Amino acid sequence: MRLVIARCSVDYIGRLTAHLPMASRLLLVKADGSVSVHADDRAYKPLNWMTPPCSFRDELLDGAGTWTVTNKAGEQLIITIESVEHDSSHELGVDPGLQKDGVEAELQRLLALHVETFGTGWTLVRREYPTAIGPVDLLCRDADGRTVAVEIKRRGEIDGVEQLTRYLELLNRDPLLAPVRGVFAAQEIKPQARVLAGDRGIDCLTVDYAVLKGTDDPSQRLF
């Protein structure tokens, strides 16, 4: 991972345009090729970013110049750097991934047992399917035999969609699996996450934990 603290402005050029005026910011360039721009006043997500696969062109000279990051759709993140205060690179190694809490782990187990929840004719290939960036919760095949990667969360937010996007990019490089589509499954899915998932071609499924456990029968509810 490369960490750069710089005074910079940022322009995003694509389906939408966005501009960040000149200010001091943290720039992250990760081993997966992603580039993100961070401020010092929030921790939830970057101010702007570009996810892989993308190309990176560094045109700095004596600590000033531009970075141009371009994704496969031709969208660009152009970072104009006025001065650099810090520039360092660090090898973090392979991350073991987020350890799921009890509910998420149980959801994964139950959905693996009842994979037909996703559709008639679905079959499970493997739980915790390994990749270079962490395990995919469930790798399945749908009724037509197509490969599907399923990411399971208790609460579905944007970060979970981004995580599944990275898995799909990696899995689709494997000719034995491709094409691979994605399903984002959670007890509750935030509207922003649904919009992002739809933009990425990822299906969303809201799952009922109680029904999966067999402790609740929807047909017996009054409301």
Side-chain angles (χ1 to χ4, degrees):
M1 177 184 290
R2 183 180 177 187
L3 296 87
V4 177
I5 298 175
R7 182 168 174 79
C8 63
S9 64
V10 182
D11 291 280
Y12 184 88
I13 302 170
R15 286 166 296 176
L16 300 173
T17 59
H19 174 72
L20 293 171
M22 193 68 68
S24 293
R25 299 186 176 93
L26 170 64
L27 310 175
L28 296 183
V29 183
K30 295 187 178 180
D32 64 2
S34 62
V35 178
S36 55
V37 181
H38 299 260
D40 200 23
D41 65 343
R42 67 201 71 189
Y44 178 65
K45 66 177 183 178
L47 299 171
N48 216 325
W49 65 93
M50 189 71 80
T51 56
C54 55
S55 63
F56 177 82
R57 189 168 76 246
D58 184 342
E59 296 177 304
L60 291 187
L61 181 63
D62 296 326
T66 60
W67 288 0
T68 303
V69 189
T70 307
N71 67 14
K72 61 182 180 181
E75 298 170 315
Q76 290 188 317
L77 191 66
I78 300 175
I79 303 172
T80 303
I81 297 174
E82 184 179 86
S83 60
V84 175
E85 299 177 27
H86 175 86
D87 188 346
S88 64
S89 297
H90 307 268
E91 179 58 55
L92 302 184
V94 177
D95 191 271
L98 182 67
Q99 299 298 312
K100 293 186 177 294
D101 64 22
V103 173
E104 285 188 10
E106 183 66 1
L107 274 174
Q108 184 191 113
R109 186 187 72 82
L110 290 169
L111 286 169
L113 287 173
H114 303 286
V115 71
E116 69 279 358
T117 301
F118 300 107
T120 303
W122 278 53
T123 57
L124 177 68
V125 175
R126 179 172 171 175
R127 287 179 63 185
E128 300 286 336
Y129 186 87
T131 76
I133 58 174
V136 177
D137 288 337
L138 302 179
L139 194 69
C140 305
R141 293 198 183 277
D142 64 17
D144 296 320
R146 295 172 297 189
T147 310
V148 187
V150 181
E151 179 64 25
I152 301 166
K153 299 292 185 186
R154 181 167 55 87
R155 175 178 294 179
E157 301 188 9
I158 285 176
D159 287 352
V161 178
E162 294 283 11
Q163 182 181 358
L164 180 53
T165 300
R166 293 192 293 271
Y167 288 147
L168 289 171
E169 169 59 30
L170 205 60
L171 292 170
N172 273 302
R173 297 178 191 175
D174 186 340
L176 297 178
L177 297 176
V180 185
R181 65 184 182 93
V183 172
F184 188 50
Q187 288 180 278
E188 173 192 0
I189 300 177
K190 295 294 185 179
Q192 300 93 329
R194 286 188 181 276
V195 171
L196 182 61
D199 185 66
R200 302 281 173 83
I202 294 170
D203 294 329
C204 289
L205 177 68
T206 303
V207 295
D208 191 318
Y209 183 51
V211 171
L212 284 171
K213 285 187 69 176
T215 58
D216 185 28
D217 183 352
S219 66
Q220 300 302 312
R221 296 178 186 169
L222 292 177
F223 303 100

